[in-house]
Amino acid sequence: MTDRQLITLTVNGRDHELAVDPRRTLADVLRHDLLLTGTHIGCEHGVCGACTVLLDGQSVRSCLVFAVQAEGRGIRTVESLGEPGELSDLQESFAEHHGLQCGFCTPGFLMLAEGFLAENPAPSREEIRETVAANLCRCTGYQTITDAIESCAAARLARAAEGSTL
Amino acid sequence: MNDSTTSATTARAAEGGLVGRSVRRREDPRLLSGRGRFTDDIHLPGMLHAQFVRSTQAHARVLGVDLTAVRAVPGVVAAYTAEDLALGPITAELDRPPEEFARTEMPVLAGERVRFAGEPIAIVLAEDPYAAEDGVEAAVVRYEPLPPVVDAGQALTAGAGQLHPEAPGNTLVDVTLFPGEGIEEVFARADCVVRVESRTGRQNALPLETRAAVAEWDERAGQLVLHTPSQVPHQVRTVAAGSLGLDEQAVRVVVPDMGGGFGIKCVVGREEIATAAAARRIGRPVKWIEDRRDALTASFLAREQHYRLRAAFSAEGRILALDADVVCDMGAYSCYPFTAGIEPLMAAAEMPGVYRVPAYRARGRAVATNKAPSAPYRGVSRPQYVMAVERLFERAARELGIDAVELRRRNLITEFPYRGVNNITYDPGSYVESLDLCERLLREEGWYDRRAAAEAEGDWLGIGYSCFSERTGYGTAAFAQRKMAVVPGYDLAEARMDPGGAVTVTTGTLSHGQSHETTMAQIAADELRLPLGKVMLRQGDTDRVPYGWGTFASRSIAIGGSAVRLAARNLGERLRTLAARLLDVPVEETVLDEGAVRASDGRALPYPELARIAHLRADLLPKGIEPGLTATASFDHFGDGTFSNATHGVVVRLDRDSGRVEILRYLCVEDCGVAVNPKVVEGQCRGGIAQGLAGALFEEVRYDADGQPQCTGFLDYLTPTALEIPEISVHHLETPCAFTETGAKGAGEGGTIGAPAAVLNAVNDALRRTGVELDDTPIRPEAVYFAMDRNREQTES
Ligand code: FES
Ligand code: FES
């Protein structure tokens, strides 16, 4: 067996010290060692996107990242969105537009969208569709996920515009 | 006209009721914040992780299983073979004579024989999942290969390898439900006879959450507790108890949040049972999470069917007779509880569908092959037979020179209730109305003009429709016609008011994305005149829910929702009786109103007050009134079921360079009776259509000639993404259902049923000048390309 390595992971702004096998994926460490079970696993081979988290602001598939590779980088999971008892604007938008059914793919889509909107705050619908196409959802047919992200982006832009005229 | 609900639903909502309103989903806050609880989120102290040693052979005798090296792998705690666990097999039965049904067994772990590549042979338990996989790698299994049977055609050939000694000729089911007396004369006299031969590819229902189980023996309760994402928890309990030799009360099945099911989780899998048995044996909790590779190769599959249809038409375009021969490739085993009969029986019983077919003959066969077994998948045979029948209508329209939409209109059932040649009575629907609206909308949007313009420019545009109805409210009577050894159909509900006046409702159905926490609560809250927040739903726990048949066959709102409404009504009756006695008025002079029982003289007793008396101050209870406030109800439908219906209309463009089918417009006009929550219904339609499109255009589970699975990951099983699924408009018509308490029919499967037929018809419409007709799915780009190419050659020569 391999030797465990001692690492420090910064997840949602908190440091965690862990001894992990080098082959242990970030997804498994988040889910099973840190009990942040919001990050889901749908394929373990980088296609479905259910395991998407932000690594230094970039969306990545945590099933394709070894935990040891994430040391020293800022990790954000779905648990970082909103406040206890209060959803973020993006989460609200998903609820408003029925952007989820079983909810299994949802954390992945939320983190995908969160990273995407940070980079591209004024996307076209086509750009949103292309981004949504990175992950799989088996329930919704994607349209309402696209709607949710589009409306969240529009609302953020409107708020920003208001802010700038104040 | 935009997506909208029609008057009746809107009117109910306007009255202030919750039914008919797209209220926000109560499931969402936890699912959106990562605080849902799926099976893999459950961590129990001392828990071990299971993985399975699986057959590498499609068909073989197992000469020996050596787990010595497995047990030596660091982290591995135990490994068990079939012999070690000695579990009873899973056996699904039909109550039919031997010439119609062969009773076969599915062992929980394979013993002396394996019948598909991926079949579980041994279970490995380890301290972590990585070690469990290392353990699986170390297993040594010796095989003596047997000739594999890779498709139904081969299986039925004389001299083909035989899977089950009990099923000679590999035939699991062979039924002729309708002999069609005199049908040959009708064909002989008909003005027009058309034929269709249609094949559909094997598919994976592919819930994003794979199958899973967490099992522990709870010493205090004397119970095996099995957490598993199942659509049918009570039926899992029956099989687990039977297989492990326990009383049913010694098994508790709990379904946490569930990441989709789509039918394959409404049958009982062997790995879940093996996990439970291993936990009992080792005395520690055990978790098994299926990986995606196993989900694609060793889970339940569906849909591989072959239709041979023949239809007779009169010159005016009336269908006179339909003759059907359906062969379904069911893979290696019958699934519990439905058996391998599920697909052929569904097809043979319901094929005449929305059309007035006067003479009918249908034979359906289920054939065993060396592939992962089949289970029901959203729509069950209806996507296939609707596709084949709709192709018949298109072909007849061409031969008769009648517009295909008009030909359908001439044959659609218009008078209700209608008793079909298949001995099924259809309740009222909007068959013609949905077709008319769908066609009108596509015309108004200018798609017919665009198609004409495209033709002039050499562009390949096609418009296609499908019309169908879907039996949804299968009650016991309708299911009994299947002759399963266990008969689903009814459901139970309980409504309980606590001392604070809030209500907990239980249902035997089970939401896995269908929003029951919201919709069932809408139904109960309306009935009890309570705000939504005062009603909580409990589901999916065999210790908490009296009994139920789970969620499949679009039955939840029609059957389960009706039971919920009745249970709530019975609770309301109890409240009225209590209040009437306390207020000293006749019970007839009381009504439920805004969280209180109100007497005709205006006096009112709020629920919390009644609840307090019923629970905490039983000394104040009038004589003869029992303490507590619990009411139960069951609901069943004793007719042939309820029928949702829809027309789908789709416009496609074929890509000249690749043969790719591009969808330009997708319209769905659906009628599921009263839509309890229209947004939920639309979600079900869109998601269903996406799965229908997946089967029509992309997905196919392939095997090679040795029976080795070729689709082992998402890179070779092509599941559509947001770029392949178009925007879909959903229009609601509403024919309230007279047979259900909610006025609702089912809405889960319709989208999946309608999509393949509509797309296939649209593709053929685009190909109309080529003389080539495609009747199979998935529609391969190369087939489309060669059809276009042929036309190119013809026009050039
Ligand atoms: S689980 Fe990581 S991409 Fe599917
Ligand atoms: S909501 Fe179920 S997979 Fe997306």
Side-chain angles (χ1 to χ4, degrees):
Chain A
M1 279 290 272
T2 44
D3 291 327
R4 296 201 159 193
Q5 293 190 14
L6 193 65
I7 57 168
T8 305
L9 288 186
T10 312
V11 185
N12 302 334
R14 274 189 55 195
D15 286 351
H16 302 266
E17 264 195 19
L18 301 137
V20 296
D21 277 349
R23 65 173 175 172
R24 201 160 172 82
T25 66
L26 179 58
D28 282 344
V29 167
L30 292 171
R31 289 183 50 71
H32 302 302
D33 300 341
L34 302 181
L35 301 183
L36 293 167
T37 52
T39 301
H40 294 155
I41 293 182
C43 72
E44 292 178 289
H45 56 266
V47 179
C48 75
C51 65
T52 304
V53 300
L54 297 182
L55 205 54
D56 291 338
Q58 297 263 336
S59 62
V60 298
R61 282 145 205 252
S62 60
C63 73
L64 294 186
V65 177
F66 293 115
V68 291
Q69 295 174 292
E71 174 147 45
R73 306 173 68 181
I75 303 160
R76 273 186 69 197
T77 68
V78 67
E79 284 88 353
S80 72
L81 301 180
E83 304 290 330
E86 202 183 313
L87 299 177
S88 75
D89 60 343
L90 181 64
Q91 291 166 312
E92 275 290 333
S93 194
F94 268 69
E96 178 68 30
H97 291 274
H98 199 46
L100 66 159
Q101 288 183 24
C102 77
F104 194 80
C105 68
T106 310
F109 276 104
L110 287 169
M111 298 320 284
L112 179 74
E114 190 71 16
F116 168 67
L117 291 180
E119 266 178 27
N120 184 355
S124 68
R125 186 163 176 95
E126 208 39 44
E127 285 171 326
I128 297 172
R129 255 185 100 199
E130 272 169 29
T131 301
V132 168
N135 287 12
L136 294 178
C137 171
R138 196 57 168 172
C139 299
T140 61
Y142 304 108
Q143 182 174 340
T144 52
I145 296 177
T146 308
D147 292 343
I149 298 171
E150 187 177 36
S151 122
C152 176
R156 282 184 187 179
L157 283 174
R159 275 201 306 273
E162 232 169 68
S164 63
T165 54
L166 283 180
Chain B
M1 183 167 153
N2 217 329
D3 296 2
S4 62
T5 54
T6 42
S7 50
T9 295
T10 332
R12 245 187 316 279
E15 281 163 20
L18 290 160
V19 168
R21 270 171 47 193
S22 294
V23 302
R24 281 257 214 141
R25 295 201 336 153
R26 311 168 87 196
E27 295 81 347
D28 286 350
R30 75 168 183 281
L31 295 174
L32 284 162
S33 54
R35 291 183 181 85
R37 189 196 211 203
F38 296 86
T39 302
D40 189 33
D41 302 344
I42 297 171
H43 293 262
L44 298 174
M47 189 168 75
L48 296 173
H49 299 263
Q51 276 302 325
F52 288 87
V53 176
R54 294 181 179 278
S55 172
T56 57
Q57 304 284 312
H59 199 188
R61 242 184 290 282
V62 177
L63 302 178
V65 183
D66 185 353
L67 302 179
T68 322
V70 176
R71 296 189 178 106
V73 167
V76 169
V77 176
Y80 303 126
T81 61
E83 212 179 354
D84 297 329
L85 292 184
L87 294 163
I90 302 174
T91 311
E93 292 188 68
L94 293 179
D95 192 9
R96 288 180 182 272
E99 61 277 15
E100 289 188 349
F101 172 71
R103 179 188 186 278
T104 54
E105 292 177 343
M106 176 162 74
V108 173
L109 292 176
E112 287 157 15
R113 179 121 175 230
V114 286
R115 295 184 175 86
F116 68 93
E119 180 157 14
I121 294 174
I123 182 169
V124 177
L125 307 182
E127 297 289 353
D128 82 68
Y130 293 70
E133 285 184 23
D134 292 341
V136 166
E137 296 283 307
V140 180
V141 183
R142 284 191 305 122
Y143 303 96
E144 177 190 314
L146 295 167
V149 177
V150 294
D151 66 49
Q154 186 198 356
L156 293 172
T157 336
Q162 298 288 301
L163 268 78
H164 300 275
E166 309 85 7
N170 295 316
T171 303
L172 298 170
V173 175
D174 186 352
V175 287
T176 298
L177 287 190
F178 304 96
E181 272 136 35
I183 198 172
E184 286 308 330
E185 282 164 39
V186 180
F187 275 102
R189 281 187 282 107
D191 298 312
C192 164
V193 174
V194 285
R195 286 187 163 73
V196 161
E197 189 164 344
S198 165
R199 284 173 204 273
T200 53
R202 203 170 191 77
Q203 251 189 289
N204 193 309
L206 214 107
L208 205 56
E209 180 205 29
T210 54
R211 295 184 301 153
V214 171
E216 72 170 325
W217 181 262
D218 178 344
E219 197 62 52
R220 197 171 136 264
Q223 262 186 332
L224 179 82
V225 183
L226 177 60
H227 297 84
T228 185
S230 167
Q231 297 169 238
V232 291
H234 282 92
Q235 288 67 52
V236 173
R237 183 179 72 179
T238 298
V239 174
S243 190
L244 271 70
L246 296 167
D247 286 339
E248 289 219 17
Q249 44 149 288
V251 180
R252 176 181 179 193
V253 177
V254 183
V255 180
D257 282 322
M258 189 168 155
F262 313 119
I264 66 155
K265 291 180 185 167
C266 79
V267 300
V268 183
R270 47 218 299 211
E271 289 88 347
E272 296 88 317
I273 306 297
T275 302
R280 174 132 170 79
R281 164 108 184 219
I282 200 147
R284 288 172 70 174
V286 176
K287 175 190 278 191
W288 166 67
I289 304 296
E290 181 178 55
D291 68 15
R292 185 54 65 183
R293 184 193 164 90
D294 288 348
L296 282 164
T297 57
S299 180
F300 294 93
L301 304 172
R303 298 267 200 264
E304 190 172 2
Q305 303 187 348
H306 183 191
Y307 285 75
R308 274 193 220 92
L309 302 190
R310 188 165 62 120
F313 282 84
S314 71
E316 318 73 71
R318 301 254 174 244
I319 188 164
L320 305 173
L322 175 62
D323 184 13
D325 185 4
V326 182
V327 174
C328 305
D329 181 336
M330 301 306 290
Y333 295 102
S334 257
C335 59
Y336 183 93
F338 300 96
T339 80
I342 175 99
E343 293 195 345
L345 286 167
M346 175 70 91
E350 306 197 358
M351 192 170 319
V354 285
Y355 299 112
R356 277 171 292 160
V357 176
Y360 179 48
R361 174 163 66 195
R363 181 184 187 191
R365 277 176 285 177
V367 176
T369 58
N370 292 115
K371 291 187 278 207
S374 256
Y377 170 29
R378 203 172 193 173
V380 185
S381 290
R382 289 163 292 192
Q384 290 79 16
Y385 82 64
V386 167
M387 193 176 101
V389 169
E390 292 294 281
R391 290 301 305 137
L392 271 180
F393 271 82
E394 294 276 324
R395 197 155 297 172
R398 233 168 53 177
E399 298 225 348
L400 291 164
I402 301 172
D403 172 72
V405 170
E406 175 56 25
L407 184 73
R408 287 187 179 87
R409 211 173 270 129
R410 285 184 199 176
N411 288 286
L412 284 170
I413 297 165
T414 48
E415 312 262 298
F416 297 97
Y418 175 84
R419 179 122 188 116
V421 66
N422 49 358
N423 298 327
I424 292 174
T425 301
Y426 297 74
D427 65 345
S430 49
Y431 300 177
V432 174
E433 295 84 340
S434 62
L435 177 61
D436 286 349
L437 177 58
C438 195
E439 191 198 23
R440 182 163 64 77
L441 289 170
L442 284 185
R443 281 195 191 283
E444 285 173 5
E445 290 174 12
W447 291 105
Y448 281 85
D449 301 335
R450 272 187 68 176
R451 185 181 63 169
E455 184 140 27
E457 286 162 24
D459 214 2
W460 299 76
L461 239 61
I463 300 175
Y465 295 92
S466 66
C467 295
F468 64 95
S469 71
E470 173 203 2
R471 175 143 60 150
T472 54
Y474 278 92
T476 302
F479 268 121
Q481 291 164 3
R482 291 264 174 83
K483 299 197 166 65
M484 284 155 59
V486 292
V487 182
Y490 63 89
D491 231 296
L492 303 176
E494 187 186 85
R496 194 165 66 212
M497 187 173 277
D498 62 31
V503 174
T504 301
V505 175
T506 71
T507 173
T509 62
L510 199 283
S511 181
H512 41 288
Q514 300 92 336
S515 324
H516 293 177
E517 281 170 62
T518 309
T519 54
M520 293 290 188
Q522 284 179 266
I523 292 168
D526 257 12
E527 185 66 35
L528 284 163
R529 303 291 191 273
L530 269 173
L532 201 59
K534 287 287 178 202
V535 180
M536 189 75 93
L537 183 77
R538 299 285 174 222
Q539 57 186 341
D541 181 337
T542 57
D543 267 17
R544 278 189 175 179
V545 173
Y547 197 78
W549 274 98
T551 287
F552 56 87
S554 308
R555 65 189 299 276
S556 295
I557 293 298
I559 304 282
S562 293
V564 163
R565 168 148 273 173
L566 288 177
R569 186 170 301 162
N570 290 344
L571 177 61
E573 292 299 305
R574 288 209 54 184
L575 290 165
R576 285 174 60 205
T577 308
L578 172 58
R581 291 283 300 279
L582 291 170
L583 295 170
D584 201 19
V585 296
V587 75
E588 305 77 50
E589 289 178 19
T590 61
V591 290
L592 306 184
D593 182 30
E594 305 268 338
V597 180
R598 194 173 298 283
S600 49
D601 60 12
R603 285 180 303 156
L605 281 171
Y607 293 164
E609 177 58 11
L610 293 168
R612 191 182 66 88
I613 293 171
H615 292 92
L616 307 176
R617 292 302 307 269
D619 58 313
L620 301 179
L621 281 176
K623 252 204 187 64
I625 299 232
E626 286 187 4
L629 281 170
T630 302
T632 59
S634 70
F635 182 81
D636 205 344
H637 177 37
F638 298 101
D640 286 338
T642 62
F643 290 81
S644 295
N645 68 273
T647 297
H648 289 202
V650 53
V651 185
V652 301
R653 186 179 160 275
L654 307 185
D655 183 71
R656 261 176 174 287
D657 299 324
S658 64
R660 196 174 79 89
V661 177
E662 186 192 343
I663 295 170
L664 303 178
R665 182 76 179 120
Y666 203 109
L667 271 183
C668 162
V669 180
E670 71 83 34
D671 185 344
C672 66
V674 171
V676 171
N677 185 320
K679 218 167 196 168
V680 169
V681 170
E682 279 160 33
Q684 288 294 311
C685 289
R686 290 205 180 93
I689 288 167
Q691 291 192 3
L693 294 175
L697 295 169
F698 306 103
E699 293 180 359
E700 184 173 22
V701 173
R702 283 170 288 108
Y703 286 81
D704 74 5
D706 296 324
Q708 289 295 331
Q710 302 298 291
C711 302
T712 57
F714 279 132
L715 295 178
D716 34 32
Y717 189 68
L718 299 180
T719 297
T721 72
L723 288 178
E724 286 79 41
I725 301 301
E727 313 253 313
I728 293 159
S729 298
V730 181
H731 296 262
H732 302 280
L733 297 177
E734 186 183 283
T735 310
C737 181
F739 301 119
T740 60
E741 290 295 324
T742 50
K745 306 168 176 180
E749 297 165 282
T752 314
I753 295 170
V759 171
L760 194 57
N761 283 339
V763 168
N764 279 300
D765 184 44
L767 291 175
R768 63 198 173 280
R769 59 200 127 149
T770 65
V772 177
E773 287 187 41
L774 305 178
D775 295 318
D776 300 341
T777 53
I779 305 166
R780 291 180 203 294
E782 60 266 31
V784 173
Y785 180 84
F786 287 127
M788 290 192 294
D789 210 36
R790 199 175 108 157
N791 183 258
R792 238 174 304 210
E793 278 166 25
Q794 276 171 355
T795 39
E796 274 160 26
S797 64

